[in-house]
Amino acid sequence: MTDKILRMTPQQFGLILLGILFLPATLFFQPNLGGIGMSISHNITVWIAAVLVISSATFVLLKSKQFSSPSVWLAMAALPMSMIMLGYIVDSFLPTQWLFRQLYILGGFLFLIALFQFHFTNRDIETVLFILLISGIIHGFYGASQIFWPNILPLWITPSNEIPYSVFQQINMHASFQATILLVGFYLLSRPVTLKSGPVLKLILVSSIFLSCFTVAYSGSRTGLLASGVGVIILTLCNWRSFLNRKNLSSAVLISVIAALFFGSQGLQRGSQKLEDLTVKNSLGVAESGSNSRINIYKISIEVFLQQPLNGHGIGSFQKVWHEQKADYLERFPEANLPAARLSHPHNELLFWMVEGGGIAIGGILISVIAIIYASFSCGWRRGLNYIALLIPIGLHTLVELPFYISNIPWFLLLFLIFLILSHNCKSKPFVLSHMAELTVRWSVTILSLGITVVMLQTIQANHNTIRFLKEGMAEPALLQPALSNPFFSNTAEFYFMRTLLLRELDARQGKFAPQFIDWASSYIEYTPMPQLYIDLSRAYLATGDKAKAIETIEDGLARYPRIDRLKESARIIRNAANN
C-alpha cells in the first residue's frame, strides 16, 4: 500500500485529495446551532480536507523543487494583503474575528496556489469537473429524498421540512451550488471529453444536469434560477456548434432539463410570486411591505459605510454599527420593512466588506475580480465567456447573501473554478532550499496540519456538547467545557454559561452574580447585540438596584428591535418592576 502511494504521480495524488474534498468531506452532518462558520457541521470536515490538500502540495513542491503560480498571483493576493493592512490601520475591531477572517482568506489563497503544485493536465481538470458532477448527483439525490422520503434516513438526514437542503441547511445555498454544477455539466458537454465518452460518463452528465436543474427549479431560489438561466444561455450561444456535434447526448440533456423543470414547476411558481413585490416601495424609496426588506438593509448599510468610507468600522463591527444606524433609520421611517430579529450580515458580501473594511477591502476584492476577468478573456472571448458563466451562480449569490460564511463548499468550488481559469497562464521557477530549511518546512507543515485537524475534531465535540446542553434545558453547565476551550465556540458557550448562572441566581432571588454578569454583558452586547441579552442585562441591573440603567438598557434594545413581542413584554415588566 505504501509503495503504491509513493509511486503515485502528483496529478494522481491531487485528484484523490480533491475527490475527498468534494465528495465525502461535504457530506458530514450533526445537529448544530446553524448560522455560519464551524457551527455548520460540514465546514469542519471540508477544512480538514482543504488543509490536507495544502500540506500535500507543500510536500510535492519540496520534492519537485519547482514552484508554480499563476501570472496574476500578486493580484489574487490583494484581498489578504488588504486585510493585514486593516489590522494596522483600524483600532475599533474584534481581534479574534479579524484573525479568523484573515486565516479563512489566507487559507483560500494557499489552497489556490496549492492546486498549481500538482501540475494538473487538461484531462485531470476535466476529471475533477466530473467529480463535481458526482458531488452534485449525491447532494441532488439527498435533497430529493428530503422532499419525497423525509424519514428514510432518520439518523443521518438533516431536518428539512420537505425542502431539498441536502447538508447546506439553507435552500439558497444548495440552489447556487446546484446551479454551478448545472453549468459545469453544460461546459463539459462542449468539451472533447464528451465527444467520444463512454456510457458511464454520459450517464453522470445527464443525471447531474437533471438533478441540479430539478433542485434549482424546486427550490424557487430567485438567485439560483436567474444564474442558471443566464449561464445556460451564455454557454449555449458560445458552444451551439459543439452541442450539435453531440446530437444524441445533447438531446438527452435537453429532455432531462425539460423533465426537471416539469417536476420542479411548483418551485418555479413560488419563485415568480416572490419576484412580484421586490419593487414595492414608497415615494422615498423605502420598502414597507412584502419580501423586499433587503432594500432597507442595503440602504442602512450604505449609510454606515459613508460614515467611514476609507477603512471601514473594523472587522467584526457590523452588528454594532448597523443596529445603531437601524435605530436611527426606524425613527425616520417607522413603517420600513426590516427583519424583526438580529441581523449579523447585510445579505451582500460587498456591503459587508464596505461596512467593516471600507474602500481598502473593496479595493482588494476588485483587484482580484479584475484579474480573473482579464485572465478569462486572455483565453479568447468564447472561452472567456464560458469561464465567466461558470462563476455567475456563486458570484451572484454573494450579492444577496454571504455564501462563503454559511457553507465553505462554494468557497472551495469557486477557488477551483478560478484555478481552471488561471491555469492557462502560469509559470514555474526553481525552488531550492537547504537541507535544514527543507526539514524545518516539512516538520512545520506536518505539525501545523495535525494541530489544525485536532482543533477541528475537538470542534465536533464542542458542537455536540453544546447541542446536548441546550436539549437538556441548560441544566448541566459542565457540558460547555469543550466549547469554552474551543476557538470557534468559546463566545457562544460563554454566553450560555453566563446566562445560566444569572438565571439560576435570579430564580433563587439572589443577586450576587449580577455585577459580574453586568461587567461581562456590557462589553459583549456592544458587538453582539442579541435581543435576549438586553432582557437579561436589564434584569441583572434590577437585581443590583440600578433601576435607571435597567430601563435604559431595555429601551435601547427596543430601539433596535421594536417588533419583537418578547422584548416588548419584557420591557413592560421591567418598567413596572422599576417603578414599584
Side-chain angles (χ1 to χ4, degrees):
M1 182 69 177
T2 305
D3 292 338
K4 290 182 178 179
I5 294 176
L6 293 175
R7 286 199 299 267
M8 281 185 181
T9 64
Q11 293 87 352
Q12 291 173 325
F13 197 44
L15 289 176
I16 291 173
L17 293 175
L18 290 176
I20 294 172
L21 173 64
F22 290 118
L23 291 173
T26 65
L27 296 173
F28 177 69
F29 175 80
Q30 64 176 165
N32 58 74
L33 296 172
I36 61 175
M38 300 307 157
S39 295
I40 304 295
S41 311
H42 66 260
N43 289 340
I44 301 172
T45 49
V46 165
W47 267 106
I48 291 175
V51 169
L52 185 60
V53 172
I54 296 170
S55 58
S56 299
T58 305
F59 291 126
V60 170
L61 167 63
L62 294 175
K63 184 178 179 180
S64 67
K65 301 188 185 305
Q66 289 287 321
F67 176 72
S68 298
S69 62
S71 59
V72 294
W73 72 270
L74 189 59
M76 300 308 299
L79 181 56
M81 290 170 63
S82 66
M83 285 285 292
I84 295 173
M85 287 177 58
L86 287 171
Y88 288 101
I89 296 173
V90 184
D91 293 328
S92 57
F93 72 98
L94 296 180
T96 304
Q97 285 202 26
W98 173 84
L99 177 61
F100 285 144
R101 196 88 62 84
Q102 179 64 51
L103 291 174
Y104 185 96
I105 295 170
L106 185 60
F109 176 73
L110 292 176
F111 176 81
L112 177 63
I113 297 300
L115 294 176
F116 286 90
Q117 311 316 313
F118 294 107
H119 304 287
F120 290 125
T121 64
N122 288 336
R123 182 57 61 90
D124 295 325
I125 292 174
E126 288 173 349
T127 300
V128 178
L129 294 178
F130 271 101
I131 290 174
L132 292 175
L133 296 189
I134 295 171
S135 179
I137 291 172
I138 294 172
H139 286 287
F141 183 76
Y142 192 0
S145 71
Q146 292 171 318
I147 301 171
F148 302 110
W149 313 290
N151 299 316
I152 194 172
L153 298 171
L155 299 179
W156 182 48
I157 202 164
T158 60
S160 65
N161 297 319
E162 298 185 2
I163 298 174
Y165 292 126
S166 184
V167 300
F168 292 89
Q169 299 185 218
Q170 208 241 39
I171 187 58
N172 290 332
M173 286 301 312
H174 191 199
S176 291
F177 170 77
Q178 291 291 359
T180 304
I181 298 302
L182 174 66
L183 299 181
V184 168
F186 272 85
Y187 172 75
L188 284 172
L189 182 60
S190 70
R191 301 297 297 160
V193 67
T194 56
L195 192 58
K196 296 181 179 180
S197 59
V200 174
L201 290 183
K202 291 178 180 177
L203 180 62
I204 291 173
L205 181 67
V206 175
S207 299
S208 69
I209 287 177
F210 171 78
L211 284 168
S212 59
C213 188
F214 166 76
T215 303
V216 173
Y218 192 89
S219 70
S221 168
R222 294 164 292 189
T223 305
L225 290 167
L226 178 61
S228 298
V230 172
V232 168
I233 290 172
I234 292 174
L235 290 170
T236 303
L237 291 175
C238 291
N239 304 296
W240 62 272
R241 287 190 179 88
S242 297
F243 293 166
L244 290 179
N245 290 334
R246 302 159 176 78
K247 291 181 180 178
N248 292 337
L249 184 57
S250 297
S251 298
V253 166
L254 179 60
I255 292 171
S256 69
V257 168
I258 294 172
L261 293 175
F262 173 76
F263 288 114
S265 58
Q266 179 181 345
L268 293 174
Q269 294 173 0
R270 290 196 304 270
S272 62
Q273 290 172 358
K274 287 189 289 185
L275 284 172
E276 292 178 359
D277 59 359
L278 282 179
T279 58
V280 180
K281 297 180 287 185
N282 65 14
S283 59
L284 297 175
V286 177
E288 295 183 346
S289 63
S291 62
N292 55 354
S293 63
R294 291 186 186 180
I295 294 174
N296 295 322
I297 293 173
Y298 296 162
K299 288 169 70 73
I300 295 173
S301 300
I302 292 172
E303 289 180 0
V304 175
F305 162 70
L306 292 175
Q307 296 170 2
Q308 292 286 344
L310 179 60
N311 51 26
H313 294 268
I315 303 302
S317 64
F318 175 82
Q319 293 188 54
K320 174 182 182 295
V321 296
W322 191 90
H323 282 93
E324 289 175 353
Q325 190 64 24
K326 172 190 173 184
D328 175 75
Y329 191 82
L330 285 173
E331 285 186 6
R332 288 178 283 143
F333 309 108
E335 301 302 319
N337 181 26
L338 283 165
R342 175 172 62 101
L343 195 72
S344 60
H345 58 80
H347 294 276
N348 185 296
E349 186 83 31
L350 288 178
L351 284 175
F352 190 58
W353 282 106
M354 286 169 64
V355 169
E356 295 196 348
I360 293 176
I362 292 300
I365 293 173
L366 291 179
I367 290 171
S368 299
V369 170
I370 292 171
I372 293 169
I373 295 173
Y374 170 78
S376 297
F377 287 103
S378 295
C379 304
W381 72 268
R382 194 185 303 275
R383 178 167 286 188
L385 284 174
N386 274 270
Y387 289 153
I388 296 300
L390 295 178
L391 302 179
I392 286 175
I394 298 176
L396 185 61
H397 200 161
T398 62
L399 300 180
V400 296
E401 267 289 352
L402 268 66
F404 305 137
Y405 303 87
I406 300 172
S407 173
N408 297 154
I409 298 173
W411 175 234
F412 290 106
L413 173 57
L414 177 68
L415 289 170
F416 179 79
L417 295 176
I418 291 174
F419 162 74
L420 167 63
I421 297 169
L422 302 184
S423 63
H424 290 281
N425 192 1
C426 61
K427 54 188 178 182
S428 297
K429 59 182 180 180
F431 185 83
V432 181
L433 298 175
S434 66
H435 176 71
M436 185 57 67
E438 184 175 326
L439 197 61
T440 301
V441 172
R442 288 183 183 274
W443 277 105
S444 299
V445 170
T446 301
I447 293 171
L448 189 61
S449 300
L450 289 175
I452 293 173
T453 302
V454 169
V455 170
M456 291 298 180
L457 293 176
Q458 197 268 340
T459 302
I460 295 176
Q461 182 191 11
N463 176 73
H464 171 75
N465 280 29
T466 303
I467 295 299
R468 183 181 165 192
F469 167 76
L470 294 174
K471 285 185 175 180
E472 294 180 4
M474 302 171 63
E476 292 187 54
L479 288 172
L480 292 174
Q481 192 56 48
L484 287 168
S485 60
N486 182 271
F488 303 107
F489 277 87
S490 57
N491 285 341
T492 301
E494 188 178 29
F495 166 74
Y496 288 128
F497 182 74
M498 298 294 286
R499 185 164 187 262
T500 299
L501 296 182
L502 176 70
L503 293 180
R504 284 183 175 182
E505 287 226 349
L506 293 180
D507 289 343
R509 298 188 178 278
Q510 297 177 0
K512 294 180 180 179
F513 182 69
Q516 185 178 343
F517 180 86
I518 290 171
D519 289 341
W520 167 81
S522 297
S523 58
Y524 189 95
I525 205 171
E526 182 180 2
Y527 284 93
T528 313
M530 305 171 69
Q532 183 61 53
L533 200 52
Y534 283 101
I535 298 172
D536 296 336
L537 185 55
S538 298
R539 294 182 64 190
Y541 278 123
L542 279 180
T544 62
D546 194 342
K547 299 178 180 179
K549 199 65 177 176
I551 294 176
E552 179 186 334
T553 300
I554 200 67
E555 293 291 351
D556 193 24
L558 271 178
R560 286 166 169 76
Y561 308 105
R563 293 163 190 167
I564 296 181
D565 293 335
R566 185 178 75 255
L567 199 60
K568 291 179 183 178
E569 178 63 19
S570 297
R572 184 187 64 79
I573 294 172
I574 288 169
R575 290 194 199 98
N576 291 339
N579 292 331
N580 293 330

